[in-house]
Amino acid sequence: MSATPQEIVLAEPRGFCAGVDRAIEIVERALARFGAPIYVRHEIVHNTYVVNDLKSKGAIFIEDLDDVPPGATLVFSAHGVSKAVQDEARARGFQVFDATCPLVTKVHMEVAKLAREGYEFIMIGHKGHPEVEGTMGQLESGIHLVEDVADVAGVRPGQTDKLAVVTQTTLSVDDAAAIMAAVRERFPQIRQPKQQDICYATQNRQDAVKVMSPQVDVVIVVGSPTSSNSNRLAELARKLGVASYMVDRADELQAEWLAGKARIGLTAGASAPEVLVNEVIDRIKALGAVAVRRLEGAEETMKFPLPKGLKA
């Protein structure tokens, strides 16, 4: 076996999704139209490079609306916010642009619609993730979080006649399916989404890792530690029996990870820009790789419209 990497195998698709593209464009257009500073509640997307780039252009990232001055322009992050945060922003009179991914908004609207019909909910997701907090925060009560199969046994809904399930959009497709099966077994009458809540980009990137993993000796995922979908890609490769590492930037890549590995698989989470992928390619080439091969994969053409007031 070669002591140095010979080939880089690129997953397709990888990197930015339509929701991330839209969220970043909303902040950049708000800066161009209204000038700095623009306040953003929570990291617009979970990527250190993107956040630092927007900070350099005049975006100020906050968690608490107390940190936003009167009359300011405020952007909600791609992960979505609770009803309480929306109401507070409105009451304070901020000019608000909502960068919530439309696929997350779809889940919020489904929760609101079914709650009006008397439903309670089971939400499959990761406790503390801003998307989960935003979705659960659409209701004051009646939404129960499960993180794994074991949690399902502990759910105590007030009634089971009207019970629906929703999921965080960036979960592992396989893990979510296992939890969903446990939910269905315990609550056979539960209402499921017409289309799964896990977003097309999360699904496509996981499918691409499934295609790539058997063809490579190690998988490198470009993504920040806070990025749920990036973490799921690294986990998936490991479950498929391939060593996998996640890096925020190329300088985090360690030569020993690639020692004795001829084929290096490379992908990126939905919030990681291609410029970082290219930096990692250059770093692997510096360690000996001489070829780059792109795999076939799903072609993504999704584009989401910008909010009123920011369109060209």
Side-chain angles (χ1 to χ4, degrees):
M1 186 179 281
S2 167
T4 60
Q6 298 298 301
E7 182 183 51
I8 301 164
V9 180
L10 285 176
E12 291 284 356
R14 65 182 177 279
F16 277 4
C17 63
V20 166
D21 267 333
R22 174 180 178 270
I24 294 168
E25 189 173 357
I26 285 171
V27 178
E28 289 181 332
R29 287 206 181 202
L31 284 164
R33 184 153 295 187
F34 305 108
I38 296 294
Y39 290 81
V40 184
R41 189 188 178 278
H42 194 68
E43 293 186 348
I44 186 70
V45 298
H46 283 156
N47 185 267
T48 309
Y49 175 92
V50 169
V51 167
N52 288 340
D53 181 57
L54 291 172
K55 278 181 183 173
S56 74
K57 295 172 180 175
I60 296 176
F61 293 89
I62 55 96
E63 295 296 332
D64 193 320
L65 297 191
D66 284 341
D67 296 328
V68 185
T73 298
L74 174 68
V75 176
F76 293 147
S77 82
H79 314 96
V81 298
S82 68
K83 274 270 181 275
V85 171
Q86 293 173 23
D87 292 345
E88 185 185 347
R90 197 177 299 117
R92 289 182 179 227
F94 303 135
Q95 175 170 239
V96 174
F97 293 102
D98 190 354
T100 302
C101 173
L103 299 178
V104 175
T105 301
K106 178 175 79 74
V107 177
H108 290 186
M109 290 171 70
E110 182 79 352
V111 166
K113 172 178 166 287
L114 292 178
R116 288 193 295 272
E117 296 174 19
Y119 276 82
E120 282 189 56
F121 299 87
I122 292 173
M123 177 161 198
I124 301 172
H126 297 296
K127 187 176 182 180
H129 189 280
E131 183 191 327
V132 170
E133 291 179 347
T135 299
M136 294 186 71
Q138 298 305 302
L139 303 178
E140 289 184 9
S141 63
I143 187 160
H144 311 272
L145 181 65
V146 297
E147 295 192 85
D148 53 33
V149 169
D151 284 349
V152 176
V155 175
R156 297 284 179 268
Q159 48 80 31
T160 55
D161 292 339
K162 287 190 168 184
L163 199 57
V165 64
V166 293
T167 69
Q168 182 180 333
T169 62
T170 54
L171 296 179
S172 155
V173 174
D174 297 336
D175 288 354
I179 300 168
M180 188 76 84
V183 168
R184 277 200 311 268
E185 188 175 344
R186 180 148 181 237
F187 304 106
Q189 304 304 315
I190 197 160
R191 178 185 174 128
Q192 293 177 239
K194 294 187 192 75
Q195 292 179 301
Q196 69 159 15
D197 293 331
I198 293 174
C199 90
Y200 77 94
T202 297
Q203 173 93 54
N204 287 347
R205 278 149 194 71
Q206 289 177 24
D207 288 347
V209 166
K210 289 179 180 178
V211 169
M212 178 176 70
S213 292
Q215 304 184 46
V216 299
D217 303 309
V218 62
V219 169
I220 305 298
V221 178
V222 181
S224 292
T226 48
S227 166
S228 174
N229 78 88
S230 301
N231 277 288
R232 304 294 82 77
L233 296 177
E235 282 174 7
L236 177 57
R238 288 182 207 118
K239 282 184 180 171
L240 295 169
V242 187
S244 179
Y245 304 95
M246 204 162 86
V247 296
D248 217 347
R249 297 292 298 263
D251 58 11
E252 294 180 3
L253 188 77
Q254 298 181 30
E256 55 264 34
W257 297 344
L258 311 186
K261 309 280 199 268
R263 291 178 305 280
I264 315 302
L266 183 57
T267 188
S271 49
E274 189 68 4
V275 62
L276 301 184
V277 174
N278 290 330
E279 285 180 5
V280 173
I281 289 172
D282 290 343
R283 168 102 170 105
I284 299 172
K285 282 181 174 177
L287 293 168
V290 292
V292 178
R293 175 163 59 97
R294 292 174 190 273
L295 296 174
E296 293 288 314
E299 191 174 333
E300 295 179 346
T301 56
M302 185 83 74
K303 185 111 171 93
F304 295 130
L306 295 169
K308 286 175 188 164
L310 288 180
K311 293 178 180 172

